Amino acid sequence: MNWLLNVSTRAKLFLGFGVMLAFLAVVGAGAWWSIATIEEAQRALFEEDFADVSDIQEVFANLGENRAGMLKMLLLTQRSEQEAEHRAIRENANVNSEKLRAMQQRSHDDTEVRTLLDELARLRQEYGQMREQQVAPLIYQGKTDQATKLVLGDQGERFTRIQAVTTRLIDLTKNKASAGVARAEREARGAIRQLIAIGATALAAALLMALLLTRLIATPLRAIAEHAERIAGGEIAVRPAVGRRRDEIGQLEAQFNRMAESLQAKVEGAR
């Protein structure tokens, strides 16, 4: 502490404000880290977990729409209408393929989801091949009885398995999203707690620095002012305590004592 007493008052003030600014920077860095942590948790939640739920539900809806489209093709008699419905089925199938590829990329670390996605891809490939190579050509040829047998038979069994796998994926992605929400909430609470702790520590340190500066600068000046007031009241023998500090405060105390001694000598001489 003696080294701090001996540095200049300007240096003390610069040091005090520098420390306070450093703590302010720490608080700012803590706030940035907390915000970044919360943003990352939310990004993962929306770009991965919620995206999986949305994509698999859209895939499920498109599968049902394609199934209904195939049944509708069996009822249509105009080639142009059959082809239009067939194009819509293919478009939905392409959308499903893109959604599932995106899910596979996002679920590289989830073995169960990845296994189900691979199974779904295999079933969809078999389902699509039969649709394009057997069912659709039979419908275009007017052989609706044979096409109906395939749609309700082998294709119906594959569709049931596709639905079962898709339903399982929906359940898994919803559970994963719920776990992601809980994880994001935990990370947000942890980041907020750490920010509060950093802020409280910085505030306490700033208060301690303010108290230290008050003790080193304001308290001695107040003591000198009180002694000056007592001397003005006639107590010319009082003196402020002079320490070993070599800063401006120490110099002021020494000069004040010399002034008081000189004043006392003159008063006593006048008597």
Side-chain angles (χ1 to χ4, degrees):
M1 184 62 70
N2 288 334
W3 69 269
L4 187 57
L5 289 172
N6 294 328
V7 301
S8 67
T9 302
R10 175 183 295 181
K12 288 186 182 72
L13 293 174
F14 273 117
L15 177 62
F17 285 115
V19 171
M20 291 181 186
L21 288 176
F23 282 122
L24 182 61
V26 170
V27 172
W32 176 85
W33 178 84
S34 299
I35 293 171
T37 299
I38 294 172
E39 287 181 345
E40 176 59 24
Q42 292 179 340
R43 183 204 63 78
L45 188 61
F46 283 96
E47 293 183 6
E48 298 178 12
D49 299 335
F50 286 172
D52 284 345
V53 174
S54 175
D55 285 351
I56 195 60
Q57 287 181 333
E58 184 174 349
V59 167
F60 187 81
N62 287 342
L63 287 171
E65 186 176 340
N66 282 359
R67 177 68 173 173
M70 289 304 303
L71 295 174
K72 185 178 179 180
M73 283 183 67
L74 292 171
L75 300 176
L76 296 173
T77 56
Q78 297 295 323
R79 177 65 179 257
S80 59
E81 294 177 346
Q82 292 172 342
E83 290 177 345
E85 193 65 37
H86 195 187
R87 283 194 299 271
I89 291 172
R90 286 173 172 170
E91 289 175 0
N92 277 344
N94 290 334
V95 169
N96 282 355
S97 297
E98 293 176 2
K99 297 290 183 182
L100 293 174
R101 276 195 297 270
M103 287 185 66
Q104 286 177 324
Q105 293 175 354
R106 291 192 296 264
S107 61
H108 56 84
D109 58 344
D110 192 324
T111 305
E112 186 174 8
V113 172
R114 189 61 183 258
T115 300
L116 288 173
L117 286 172
D118 290 342
E119 183 180 357
L120 181 58
R122 179 183 60 79
L123 290 171
R124 287 186 63 249
Q125 183 178 13
E126 294 174 355
Y127 187 85
Q129 286 178 348
M130 178 169 283
R131 180 190 66 226
E132 297 299 323
Q133 297 175 7
Q134 299 183 47
V135 178
L138 288 173
I139 292 175
Y140 289 142
Q141 294 169 17
K143 301 177 180 180
T144 56
D145 290 341
Q146 297 179 42
T148 300
K149 184 177 180 181
L150 288 175
V151 169
L152 298 180
D154 293 343
Q155 286 291 76
E157 293 177 1
R158 286 195 181 92
F159 184 75
T160 300
R161 283 186 284 167
I162 288 173
Q163 278 189 316
V165 174
T166 307
T167 301
R168 177 58 181 156
L169 279 169
I170 290 175
D171 292 338
L172 283 177
T173 53
K174 284 183 176 180
N175 292 338
K176 185 178 178 182
S178 298
V181 170
R183 182 180 63 253
E185 290 177 349
R186 288 194 303 272
E187 292 179 356
R189 287 195 296 268
I192 292 172
R193 283 195 298 269
Q194 291 190 2
L195 177 59
I196 292 173
I198 292 173
T201 302
L203 179 60
L207 289 175
L208 288 175
M209 180 58 66
L211 291 173
L212 179 60
L213 290 176
T214 299
R215 180 180 178 184
L216 294 177
I217 299 175
T219 300
L221 291 176
R222 188 181 302 113
I224 293 173
E226 291 174 354
H227 283 81
E229 185 176 356
R230 291 175 64 185
I231 291 174
E235 300 180 45
I236 59 175
V238 298
R239 302 286 186 274
V242 178
R244 297 181 179 179
R245 55 192 299 174
R246 295 191 298 271
D247 63 348
E248 292 86 348
I249 302 298
Q251 295 173 10
L252 179 61
E253 289 174 341
Q255 293 292 337
F256 184 90
N257 280 348
R258 283 194 291 271
M259 179 195 70
E261 290 171 356
S262 176
L263 178 62
Q264 183 180 7
K266 291 180 179 180
V267 170
E268 290 177 351
R271 290 176 182 173

